[in-house]
């Protein structure tokens, strides 16, 4: 029997958003973990706001909104606020009812400085990593490290000589750079002075970029630590050592890495930190010798370390971190930490679901 179309919309309805979300939806586990982590940060949030005045949008809601932007590849905060008006899944994830109006995109802009001042992005990342470790999902002995270039929100045309007088009132200049040697020592971007000109390899196009660094645990491929720094020739090795120092405990660790980390200084400092450098060997003048490469664990680390590329791949494609939406190392670093958090939560949701599926059913 054909159903009848009823053009009359419902005047009054009682809708339970939780019933509209499928029981096996991956956001359920992500929401559970995110809520647990954010509840532990409640005291930190109290210090961020005054006890008097008009109530703000809850910081938990802002952070979960930024996670949704990364999880669903939403192009901007303004676009997210528009979708929040009608997307029931987003409202359920943010604990909003149907009658509650969406907030304005300027809320993100006004609160970003507060998030940076109190290092909320870093605290959230550490809490999510702690939650993964508490559930036994993260290795505490075997790691891999790598770096990648993140395009800055600045055009190559903004790369001007530092001693040039700007007489264009901010207008875009279109002069030809052909024949002029561009160098970070003599030039600087007028749009984002913290961005640096760098190329990925020989024959590649030079771009204004930052450098992102990820420390991956070798057990399940989770991001154990994340950094964003200025792009230069020493940034990868310096950031790797900084992340290794932050690992608690005095046990011996292993660190897998590509040939870019094969330098005598880096290998020596790793050994001083009680870290075995499982670094890919250069064809000539390698700092890695037979006392490291003979072991089976070296070959295992070299095989697993390539998984770190999937982290950067997800962050750049799904998370939208191929090019920064903000200016400066600090703001771009906050953005990167939130995208890395989103990656960890997606990975954790799959691992937790697998564990729950294997668990015996209690009658």
């Amino acid at each position: 029997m054909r159903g009848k179309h009823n053009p009359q919309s419902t005047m009054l309805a009682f809708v339970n958003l939780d019933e509209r979300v499928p029981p096996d939806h991956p956001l359920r586990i992500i929401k559970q973990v995110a809520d647990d982590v954010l509840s532990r940060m409640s005291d930190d949030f109290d210090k961020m706001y005054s006890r008097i005045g008009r109530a703000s949008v809850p910081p938990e809601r802002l952070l979960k909104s930024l996670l949704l932007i990364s999880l669903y590849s939403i192009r901007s905060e303004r676009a997210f606020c528009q979708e929040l008006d009608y997307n029931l899944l987003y409202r359920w994830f943010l604990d909003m009812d149907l009658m509650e109006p969406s907030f304005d995109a300027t809320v993100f802009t006004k609160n970003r400085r507060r998030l940076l001042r109190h290092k909320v992005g870093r605290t959230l990342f550490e809490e999510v990593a702690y939650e993964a470790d508490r559930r036994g999902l993260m290795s505490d002995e075997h790691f891999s490290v790598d770096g990648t270039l993140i395009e800055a929100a600045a055009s190559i045309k903004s790369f001007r000589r530092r001693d040039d007088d700007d007489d264009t009132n901010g207008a875009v200049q279109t002069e030809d750079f052909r024949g002029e040697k561009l160098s970070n020592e003599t030039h600087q971007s007028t749009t984002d002075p913290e961005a640096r000109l760098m190329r990925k390899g020989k024959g590649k196009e030079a771009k204004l970029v930052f450098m992102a660094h990820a420390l991956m645990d070798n057990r399940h491929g989770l991001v154990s630590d994340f950094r964003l720094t200025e792009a230069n020739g020493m940034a990868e090795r310096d950031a790797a050592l900084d992340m290794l120092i932050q690992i608690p405990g005095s046990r011996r660790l292993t660190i897998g890495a590509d040939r870019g980390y094969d330098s005598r200084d880096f290998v020596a400092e790793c050994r001083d930190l009680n870290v075995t450098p499982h670094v890919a060997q250069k064809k000539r003048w390698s700092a890695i010798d037979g006392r490291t490469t003979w072991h089976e664990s070296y070959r295992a680390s070299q095989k697993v370390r390539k998984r770190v590329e999937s982290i950067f791949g997800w962050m750049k494609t799904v998370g939208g971190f191929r090019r920064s939406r903000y200016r400066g190392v600090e703001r771009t670093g906050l953005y990167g930490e939130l995208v890395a958090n989103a990656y960890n939560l997606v990975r954790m949701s799959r691992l937790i679901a697998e564990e729950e599926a294997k668990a015996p059913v209690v009658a």
Side-chain angles (χ1 to χ4, degrees):
M1 177 179 177
R2 177 185 174 185
K4 298 294 185 180
H5 172 64
N6 183 12
Q8 176 65 41
S9 59
T10 304
M11 299 296 294
L12 181 63
F14 296 94
V15 180
N16 186 346
L17 292 181
D18 190 69
E19 294 179 353
R20 294 297 184 99
V21 181
D24 58 347
H25 198 286
L27 267 189
R28 283 194 176 274
I29 298 178
I30 293 176
K31 184 178 187 299
Q32 176 187 350
V33 176
D35 288 342
D36 291 343
V37 168
L38 291 171
S39 65
R40 296 200 295 265
M41 296 174 60
S42 181
D43 292 341
D44 297 324
F45 295 146
D46 288 339
K47 299 175 184 177
M48 292 167 54
Y49 296 89
S50 172
R51 296 184 179 274
I52 59 176
R54 187 176 61 180
S56 67
V57 175
E60 296 90 342
R61 186 168 293 174
L62 285 177
L63 291 170
K64 289 165 72 175
S65 297
L66 292 170
L67 288 176
L68 285 173
I69 290 174
S70 297
L71 291 171
Y72 285 91
S73 308
I74 302 174
R75 69 180 184 276
S76 67
E77 294 159 354
R78 187 171 300 278
F80 171 79
C81 291
Q82 294 173 352
E83 290 189 36
L84 188 58
D85 271 331
Y86 56 82
N87 194 309
L88 299 184
L89 183 65
Y90 295 172
R91 286 181 168 268
W92 166 81
F93 189 80
L94 300 180
D95 299 310
M96 296 175 64
D97 57 42
L98 291 176
M99 303 303 295
E100 194 171 355
S102 174
F103 45 84
D104 192 83
T106 56
V107 171
F108 293 102
T109 305
K110 295 175 181 176
N111 282 274
R112 187 167 292 113
R113 185 175 300 175
R114 182 181 283 115
L115 297 178
L116 289 169
R117 186 187 312 123
H118 294 271
K119 302 185 185 304
V120 174
R122 188 67 197 172
T123 303
L124 178 60
F125 179 86
E126 291 174 351
E127 287 290 342
V128 171
Y130 169 77
E131 183 67 19
D133 185 60
R134 188 183 69 83
R135 292 173 178 264
L137 302 176
M138 190 171 288
S139 170
D140 58 356
E141 294 180 323
H142 306 293
F143 301 89
S144 296
V145 69
D146 202 1
T148 189
L149 299 181
I150 305 298
E151 294 182 33
S155 168
I156 190 66
K157 293 181 180 179
S158 70
F159 202 58
R160 306 260 304 280
R161 293 191 64 86
R162 296 174 184 266
D163 53 1
D164 276 358
D165 294 330
D166 186 6
D167 55 358
T168 60
N169 296 323
V172 177
Q173 292 192 340
T174 58
E175 65 266 22
D176 190 358
F177 290 111
R178 186 172 298 175
E180 180 180 359
K181 183 179 179 181
L182 302 181
S183 169
N184 289 313
E185 300 295 329
T186 57
H187 292 67
Q188 185 182 52
S189 170
T190 57
T191 304
D192 189 345
E194 296 182 42
R196 293 293 178 265
L197 189 69
M198 196 173 186
R199 69 176 75 244
K200 193 171 183 179
K202 292 183 179 180
K204 301 290 185 179
E205 178 186 2
K207 296 181 180 180
L208 292 170
V209 294
F210 300 105
M211 182 161 281
H213 315 268
L215 182 70
M216 179 191 75
D217 97 284
N218 286 358
R219 179 179 299 169
H220 288 124
L222 293 165
V223 185
S224 179
D225 203 347
F226 178 85
R227 295 283 194 278
L228 188 123
T229 65
E230 177 186 292
N232 59 57
M234 298 293 294
E236 285 189 277
R237 295 188 287 273
D238 290 344
L241 291 170
D242 184 45
M243 291 188 287
L244 288 172
I245 292 173
Q246 301 302 318
I247 299 176
S250 57
R251 62 199 173 278
R252 177 166 287 279
L253 309 175
T254 65
I255 183 72
D258 59 28
R259 291 187 179 89
Y261 296 82
D262 186 5
S263 71
R264 297 192 181 278
D265 292 341
F266 178 77
V267 171
E269 292 191 53
C270 282
R271 297 192 187 281
D272 290 341
L273 293 172
N274 200 27
V275 177
T276 302
H278 287 172
V279 177
Q281 288 182 296
K282 293 179 180 177
K283 294 181 179 180
R284 298 179 62 187
W285 313 112
S286 174
I288 302 296
D289 51 32
R291 59 178 169 168
T292 299
T293 58
W294 75 270
H295 205 280
E296 182 64 30
S297 62
Y298 175 82
R299 291 185 287 274
S301 291
Q302 282 298 298
K303 183 177 180 180
V304 174
R305 72 166 177 83
K306 299 175 183 178
R307 294 175 59 184
V308 73
E309 297 294 343
S310 65
I311 295 175
F312 291 134
W314 190 95
M315 292 179 67
K316 289 184 177 183
T317 54
V318 180
F321 196 49
R322 184 181 301 278
R323 187 174 191 269
S324 176
R325 300 175 182 179
Y326 312 101
R327 298 177 184 175
V329 172
E330 194 176 33
R331 287 181 173 83
T332 305
L334 172 63
Y335 179 31
E337 287 169 345
L338 292 170
V339 177
N341 262 324
Y343 172 85
N344 273 350
L345 288 170
V346 170
R347 186 79 182 122
M348 289 171 63
S349 69
R350 295 173 181 173
L351 296 170
I352 293 172
E354 291 175 1
E355 289 186 354
E356 292 178 349
K358 295 177 182 177
V361 179
V362 179

